[in-house]
Amino acid sequence: MPMSYFTIAGVQMQALHHGDNTEAMRHRVDVLMSRFPQVQMVLFSELMPLGASPHHAHTLPSHVEQFFCQLAEQYRIWLIPGSMFEQTEHGIYNTLSVIDPHGQVVARYRKMFPFRPYEAGVESGSEFVLFDVPNIGRFGVSICYDMWFPETTRTLAAMGAEVILHPTMTDTIDRDIELSIARTNAAVNQCYFFDINGAGAIGNGRSIVVGPSGDVIHQAGSGEEVMPIEVDFNRVRRERETGLRGLGQPLKSFRDRQVDFTVYRTERDSLPFLSSLGPLAKPQRTDIEEY
């Protein structure tokens, strides 16, 4: 019979904005596993291993990825070491690796929505990524700005994801909005949502773990913090069957809908309103005439 409980630890840590943070991450895992040996999966924030500059982009597989494979095998844990910039012949991607307890990379996910126009020079991924932990359940992954587009989490849920693992690197004034989005994504898709941010130079913290009723299981402060959280897959399955707090059943309602969202099938140039919004570019300063 499949197990129901599974322990996931989010790691919110300070690190260099530009530079190699891998040894610091190893130290966090060493301490984490010593204190909380029940942990079965560890999740770091976006761009934690090598910092936030595309200049550190490299091809995958790499020695950095292998470093984390050895760490996962050492502790027999599932490990998602945030994301790294991946150099390919088609450009640079913001890529997340999923590593199993045998030290094998079972999936790589490329961020679908780079934070344009600020995350410049980074290409968009196009493939959804899910993976199964045997005898436990199904996980989906997304990165940072992806969650601002509800279609991403809805698609993962529709493909069976019961837990969404979502590393982010937010150091801007919109973190409070992201907390609301994380709760909403969990509630409308009836899943757990782990939104793990960095701290210090690589994020303003306030990581959040949300349950399938949109309930906040834990919200971190702005400093360093490890968050070992036990999730219950039976809770997800039961609430998807009987409703959020015994009430709404949004996934079933979405499945049984009568409406066809034709906007998603329409050619981009035939949407005059969206076309009227102008280019996707940084806002520029408006100079005020001197009198």
Side-chain angles (χ1 to χ4, degrees), residues 190-251:
Q190 300 179 279
C191 64
Y192 286 96
F193 198 94
F194 280 70
D195 177 22
I196 304 301
N197 197 14
I202 203 159
N204 53 23
R206 291 196 284 171
S207 297
I208 189 170
V209 179
V210 188
S213 289
D215 50 301
V216 177
I217 296 172
H218 180 72
Q219 183 178 320
S222 59
E224 293 200 324
E225 194 166 335
V226 294
M227 295 150 271
I229 304 291
E230 184 180 76
V231 301
D232 182 359
F233 281 83
N234 280 346
R235 181 185 169 194
V236 177
R237 294 158 192 166
R238 180 65 174 165
E239 292 192 15
R240 286 178 171 179
E241 176 187 357
T242 63
L244 185 154
R245 301 180 185 175
L247 300 167
Q249 300 177 34
L251 279 185

Side-chain angles (χ1 to χ4, degrees), residues 96 98 109 128-132 138-142 156-157 160-167 192:
L96 169 158
V98 178
Y109 169 72
F128 290 95
V129 168
L130 299 97
F131 65 96
D132 293 328
R138 178 160 290 185
F139 294 77
V141 293
S142 59
L156 291 170
E162 298 165 295
V163 176
I164 306 295
L165 305 168
H166 184 81
Y192 286 96

